[in-house]
Amino acid sequence: MHSVVYYVLNLLTLAAMVYALRSYSHSKVNFFWLVLFIKLTAGIALGLVYTNYYSSGDTFSFFEEANRIADLARSNLSVYFDFLMFSDATGFDIQYSWKPNVLFTKIVSVFCLITGGNYWLVSLYFSFFSFSALWYLYQLLIQLFSDNKLAVGLGLFGIPSFVFWTSGLLKESISIICISIIVGIYLKQFFLNKRTGILHWIAVVVSIILLWNLKYFYAGPLLVTLITGLLVLFLSKREIANSPTKILLTTSLISLGTLLLSTLAHPNFYLSRILQVIVDNHDSLLLRSGEGAVRFNDLSPSIASLFEYLPLALFSGFFRPLFWDVTSLISWGTAIENTVLLLLAIWALISIRRNSSDKKLILVAIAFLYILVLATLLALSTPNFGTLVRFKVGFLPFLWMLVLYNNSLIRRLSDRFFN
């Protein structure tokens, strides 16, 4: 009876939040309910896959630890708050020592309290909040790219691996919420010139802090990209970067400077350490990867070695695993998805054309910069295909939007579907 009450109350709460989200949506698109259903189902599917396919996994480890922390709240609320706010674990044995995992289990523990410790309800909340943030970003992007709304929609809601790995109880769900909020408000303020209130900027600050503490390797390239975009936009308004060639050249030069400055932002980004960190992560994951991994033979912490493997890292970060990389039944779906992406990317390169405005060109340039940096870092430091596929969600929707945007077939379908 107790669990039934939790189910009813939480499902009613979720239904009310869904209704509020749909009511405040400006888009008249009818696929809201379909993509919401897919997103919520993906979160449940994630739990089922980990239950029936993997022998162990982060999602249940995080949940069990978070539920144990929630039990602390049920027995001693003041001790729980001390741990939640100050990480004071006096008298409490925590499983994790790595700060991102500790932070994530703190967040999950709040939802364990709300749901009575029900994994599936917690999963629905995470999937819904992930969807809500992506829907917010979608509403803003289609104002900028109104001539191909379908490309935006497919990038955010139509890519199976992205939908799956950003749903349910995983750090990627929270990470994509943070990225969507940061990018969305950035676009609203600087590219749509719409008013943003103090609550928006509080949300940005909180999102940056959360993202930095959960996935700093997402946060670093993202902040470099956004700062670069602002500087290029500033120069374009003063007609210093007022042509496609100047915009691309300016973006390249400014991004190089901001990338160098960003090496001061985190110990693992220091120039003296970043190459060693990449190699250490690569070697550690490779030992546990078997056949399912990108092979960088004799990778060393030097600039020469980095540039030697840069083409392979870029291709692997963008498009692998492909069919010849498949080592299990579940990886066939990803291989098919990546093959489609590769073919669409070739099509996009063949039919490339100039965007209609400098603002769009700046956005395309900085999006590609973000994808380029993150894809390279991930491929080199996380060569295991399973981990790579999961971590790629940090840039995957933007890559798909880039390759789909000028696709003539997608444009025709977009005109028919949205007009």
Side-chain angles (χ1 to χ4, degrees), residues 7-311:
Y7 262 110
V8 171
L9 289 176
N10 282 281
L11 290 176
L12 286 174
T13 301
L14 280 164
M17 290 192 295
V18 169
Y19 176 78
L21 178 65
R22 188 67 187 100
S23 299
Y24 285 101
S25 296
H26 302 299
S27 173
K28 297 179 181 178
V29 177
N30 294 322
F31 64 68
F32 174 89
W33 298 107
L34 174 61
V35 292
L36 173 62
F37 173 77
I38 293 171
K39 190 71 174 173
L40 296 178
T41 304
I44 300 300
L46 178 87
L48 293 174
V49 167
Y50 271 99
T51 300
N52 299 299
Y53 186 81
Y54 296 116
S55 57
S56 62
D58 288 350
T59 184
F60 287 112
S61 298
F62 286 139
F63 173 72
E64 289 165 6
E65 177 69 357
N67 221 9
R68 210 164 62 86
I69 295 170
D71 286 338
L72 179 66
R74 298 180 186 108
S75 60
N76 193 325
L77 197 59
S78 63
V79 174
Y80 172 72
F81 274 114
D82 283 342
F83 175 69
L84 207 65
M85 301 304 295
F86 309 111
S87 295
D88 182 2
T90 304
F92 179 64
D93 181 31
I94 58 173
Q95 176 183 335
Y96 298 113
S97 58
W98 196 43
K99 288 183 179 180
N101 288 348
V102 175
L103 174 60
F104 185 65
T105 51
K106 285 182 183 181
I107 296 169
V108 178
S109 73
V110 175
F111 289 90
C112 286
L113 287 172
I114 294 170
T115 63
N118 187 293
Y119 172 87
W120 305 106
L121 287 174
V122 174
S123 175
L124 287 175
Y125 274 111
F126 274 59
S127 297
F128 170 74
F129 290 129
S130 174
F131 171 80
S132 300
L134 289 166
W135 188 255
Y136 172 73
L137 180 58
Y138 169 77
Q139 299 285 308
L140 295 165
L141 281 170
I142 60 173
Q143 295 178 53
L144 283 163
F145 300 97
S146 57
D147 52 341
N148 199 340
K149 295 176 182 178
L150 183 57
V152 178
L154 286 172
L156 294 176
F157 305 114
I159 311 306
S161 64
F162 176 74
V163 174
F164 182 79
W165 289 114
T166 58
S167 303
L169 203 159
L170 287 175
K171 282 187 286 186
E172 284 73 20
S173 295
I174 301 293
S175 298
I176 208 63
I177 291 170
C178 296
I179 290 172
S180 298
I181 291 171
I182 295 166
V183 173
I185 294 173
Y186 176 87
L187 294 176
K188 186 176 182 180
Q189 174 69 43
F190 301 111
F191 286 83
L192 289 169
N193 299 317
K194 293 190 174 183
R195 184 179 177 182
T196 48
I198 185 65
L199 290 178
H200 289 91
W201 293 111
I202 291 173
V204 168
V205 171
V206 171
S207 296
I208 290 173
I209 293 170
L210 268 179
L211 187 62
W212 187 260
N213 285 282
L214 286 174
K215 299 271 187 180
Y216 70 87
F217 51 86
Y218 287 168
L222 181 64
L223 293 176
V224 165
T225 296
L226 299 183
I227 292 169
T228 299
L230 282 182
L231 294 173
V232 176
L233 185 63
F234 174 83
L235 294 175
S236 70
K237 287 180 177 178
R238 279 148 185 78
E239 299 190 356
I240 298 171
N242 57 357
S243 70
T245 303
K246 288 181 179 179
I247 286 173
L248 295 175
L249 181 61
T250 305
T251 302
S252 301
L253 293 173
I254 292 175
S255 64
L256 182 61
T258 49
L259 278 169
L260 290 173
L261 286 173
S262 70
T263 61
L264 305 174
H266 191 280
N268 282 351
F269 287 162
Y270 294 167
L271 282 174
S272 58
R273 286 196 60 190
I274 187 168
L275 295 177
Q276 188 62 57
V277 168
I278 288 172
V279 173
D280 289 346
N281 287 342
H282 167 272
D283 293 346
S284 175
L285 270 175
L286 202 59
L287 288 173
R288 307 194 301 269
S289 297
E291 295 299 317
V294 188
R295 300 287 168 177
F296 302 102
N297 298 321
D298 301 319
L299 180 68
S300 64
S302 67
I303 297 294
S305 182
L306 177 68
F307 276 99
E308 178 186 353
Y309 289 112
L310 190 59

Side-chain angles (χ1 to χ4, degrees), residues 319-327 331-340:
F319 305 117
R320 293 177 74 186
L322 291 164
F323 290 116
W324 56 80
D325 301 313
V326 170
T327 57
S331 58
W332 273 100
T334 306
I336 293 170
E337 179 185 305
N338 284 335
T339 302
V340 173

